[in-house]
Amino acid sequence: MNNQGRKTVFVIYYSMYGHVAKLAHQICQGLERAGVNARLYQVAETLPREVLDKMHAPAKDANVPVITPALMKEADGFLFGMSSRFGMAPAQMKTFFDSCGQLWMSGAL
């Protein structure tokens, strides 16, 4: 909980083409209106730029910081946003989840 007594929720997303990013921004606005301290993060891209260019994926929003496992301890809660491909989470999101294993094992989350 932050110094104003408001809960802090991280909205963490992966968006290749920007659709999920737009939803994540809207969710942050709604959380703020509801009295929650919302912080927006994106997960790191794992594909090389040349592959993304061939897929016609736009550049990521440089104004949204990339989440790291170390930051996760600062949140009271998390909302994750991602598209799916054949019912699976994107590899970028799975890579981030895997990087949080130590936090989960220690009970820090």
Side-chain angles (χ1 to χ4, degrees), residues 27-97:
I27 288 167
C28 278
Q29 290 177 6
L31 287 169
E32 290 286 340
R33 282 194 300 270
V36 174
N37 180 33
R39 290 172 50 186
L40 186 64
Y41 291 97
Q42 60 184 320
V43 297
E45 181 58 72
T46 59
L47 293 173
R49 185 72 244 171
E50 58 268 12
V51 171
L52 293 168
D53 288 343
K54 288 179 183 178
M55 297 173 76
H56 306 288
K60 304 297 182 213
D61 186 344
N63 295 318
V64 178
V66 172
I67 189 70
T68 63
L71 290 170
M72 298 291 281
K73 294 187 240 177
E74 298 175 17
D76 296 303
F78 313 102
L79 290 173
F80 295 100
M82 69 202 88
S83 59
S84 65
R85 184 172 176 95
F86 305 114
M88 300 290 294
Q92 294 84 348
M93 190 63 81
K94 290 193 284 187
T95 298
F96 174 69
F97 288 154

Side-chain angles (χ1 to χ4, degrees), residues 69 71-75 78 97 100-109:
L71 290 170
M72 298 291 281
K73 294 187 240 177
E74 298 175 17
F78 313 102
F97 288 154
C100 294
Q102 239 356 64
L103 292 172
W104 179 77
M105 291 290 292
S106 69
L109 294 180

Side-chain angles (χ1 to χ4, degrees), residues 6-19:
R6 295 184 347 165
K7 296 284 185 183
T8 298
V9 172
F10 287 4
V11 177
I12 303 167
Y13 71 88
Y14 175 73
S15 184
M16 181 173 288
Y17 294 104
H19 303 97

